[in-house]
């Protein structure tokens, strides 16, 4: 596996393969876990070349969020990616992506508002802009995202359609720990007690799905479970249309940590 830090270097590394070999891209912020690995494996299986980007994107963090303390372990990440057969790891510095004078932003209007968009002002503008830039640099045939971040997947799907980007968006199921908690780089912040409280999140979503299947109100059922966990504060519980699918999405705060998760109520995701 080759690790490259500049746009010029990744373009040079990909140039000989363009047209002849298909390219899969997995955009990440690092601190790899089995969720990231599932995307890498799909990308490897479906493409000739597997590219992973590792970039903790400053523009998708709102003021006062955890940009500075976001878990970073580039050496371990490189080892994981190499082990998974990734061909190219693109790990640019912030100045490579946002050079002096940078002022071009992409906004996915309606889908980028509500839920995470309300809770994290500017978040999806940062996500859409960095994804478009990564797509422009790598020009992948397929790009891989996790359903864990369902609204993000919907925003990127809209971006791809609206700007007629020539790539296929692949959205893969959420990978969970044995206790049901969705894997997240932010789980590393949790103490044992906080982790126990965080389990209210998948429990609430499961209760919401069950209520929905019984003809009840999924939001109400999920909110009731969260209200019963004193260690977790619900940020929102709501349904979200994701192309053909409807998901029940929630965000909670456990101590200093904010966690999101969702469950598909019906339909197919992209
Ligand atoms: P991140 O590094 O957190 O920005 O995530 C990079 C990609 O991995 C995003 O497309 C996420 O949706 C996806 N991802 C994160 N956690 C999971 C998970 N538990 N299962 C599946 N995909 C995930």
């Amino acid at each position: 596996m080759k690790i490259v830090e500049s746009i010029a270097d990744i373009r040079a590394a990909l140039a000989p393969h363009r047209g002849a070999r298909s390219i899969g891209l997995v955009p990440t912020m690092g601190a790899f876990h089995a969720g990231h690995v599932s995307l890498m494996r799909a990308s490897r299986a479906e493409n000739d070349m597997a590219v992973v980007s590792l970039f903790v994107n400053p523009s998708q963090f709102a003021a006062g969020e955890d940009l500075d303390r976001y878990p970073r372990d580039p050496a371990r990440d490189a080892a994981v990616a190499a082990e998974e057969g990734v061909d190219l790891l693109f790990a640019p510095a912030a100045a490579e992506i946002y050079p002096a004078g940078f002022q071009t932003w992409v906004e996915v209007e309606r889908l980028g508002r509500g839920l995470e968009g309300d809770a994290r002002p500017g978040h999806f503008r940062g996500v859409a802009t960095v994804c478009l830039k990564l797509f422009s640099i790598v020009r992948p045939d397929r790009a891989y995202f996790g359903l864990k971040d369902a609204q993000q997947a919907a925003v990127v799907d809209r971006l791809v359609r609206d700007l007629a980007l020539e790539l296929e968006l692949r959205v893969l199921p959420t990978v969970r720990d044995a206790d049901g908690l969705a894997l997240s780089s932010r789980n590393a912040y949790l103490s044992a007690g906080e982790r126990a409280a965080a389990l209210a999140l998948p429990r609430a979503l499961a209760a919401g799905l069950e209520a929905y299947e019984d003809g009840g109100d999924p939001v109400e059922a999920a909110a009731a479970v969260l209200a019963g966990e004193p260690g977790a504060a619900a940020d929102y519980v709501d349904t979200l249309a994701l192309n053909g699918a409807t998901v029940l999405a929630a965000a909670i705060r456990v101590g200093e940590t904010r966690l999101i998760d969702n469950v598909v109520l019906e339909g197919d995701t992209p």
Side-chain angles (χ1 to χ4, degrees):
M1 185 184 73
K2 200 164 166 180
I3 302 176
V4 288
E5 295 179 358
S6 75
I7 294 169
D9 284 350
I10 187 150
R11 285 196 163 140
L14 288 170
H17 307 290
R18 290 222 186 273
R21 305 180 73 195
S22 61
I23 298 169
L25 171 66
V26 181
T28 80
M29 299 206 302
F32 292 154
H33 51 63
H36 297 112
V37 166
S38 78
L39 302 184
M40 292 178 204
R41 288 186 182 167
S43 174
R44 252 211 65 170
E46 296 173 4
N47 302 280
D48 301 319
M49 291 217 57
V51 180
V52 171
S53 61
L54 195 180
F55 181 59
V56 182
N57 176 31
S59 73
Q60 70 185 68
F61 288 78
E65 289 187 355
D66 57 345
L67 172 62
D68 293 339
R69 66 184 189 114
Y70 194 81
R72 288 169 172 87
D73 194 344
R76 182 183 163 273
D77 286 346
V80 170
E83 176 72 18
E84 291 304 326
V86 168
D87 298 288
L88 276 168
L89 183 65
F90 178 48
E96 185 72 5
I97 300 298
Y98 300 108
F102 186 94
Q103 54 189 288
T104 303
W105 298 95
V106 188
E107 187 118 25
V108 178
E109 292 184 333
R110 202 159 15 86
L111 272 170
R113 290 195 293 264
L115 307 184
E116 286 304 285
D118 282 348
R120 308 184 66 188
H123 174 66
F124 288 118
R125 182 176 101 137
V127 168
T129 302
V130 82
C131 284
L132 180 58
K133 185 148 189 178
L134 290 168
F135 296 160
S136 157
I137 294 166
V138 175
R139 287 161 51 205
D141 295 278
R142 293 178 196 85
Y144 295 79
F145 289 83
L147 184 55
K148 157 82 170 35
D149 299 280
Q151 191 177 4
Q152 169 172 276
V155 162
V156 176
D157 179 63
R158 199 64 250 176
L159 169 78
V160 168
R161 289 164 192 260
D162 286 354
L163 300 185
L165 304 182
E166 215 174 359
L167 63 91
E168 182 190 349
L169 180 68
R170 301 273 290 113
V171 181
L172 274 78
T174 302
V175 178
R176 298 175 182 280
D177 263 332
D179 59 9
L181 191 66
L183 295 182
S184 164
S185 304
R186 290 189 168 96
N187 292 352
Y189 298 149
L190 300 172
S191 68
E194 288 174 338
R195 196 189 155 92
L199 291 176
L201 182 52
R203 229 172 33 237
L205 293 168
L209 176 59
E210 198 180 323
Y212 182 79
E213 286 171 343
D214 292 345
D217 182 341
V219 172
E220 205 173 279
V225 171
L226 292 177
E229 172 50 68
D235 212 345
Y236 63 75
V237 184
D238 213 341
T239 54
L240 167 73
L242 173 61
N243 308 315
T246 306
V247 306
L248 176 67
I252 62 168
R253 282 175 198 282
V254 183
E256 296 284 290
T257 306
R258 190 169 177 281
L259 300 172
I260 63 170
D261 196 358
N262 66 83
V263 66
V264 178
L265 296 178
E266 65 176 44
D268 292 323
T269 52

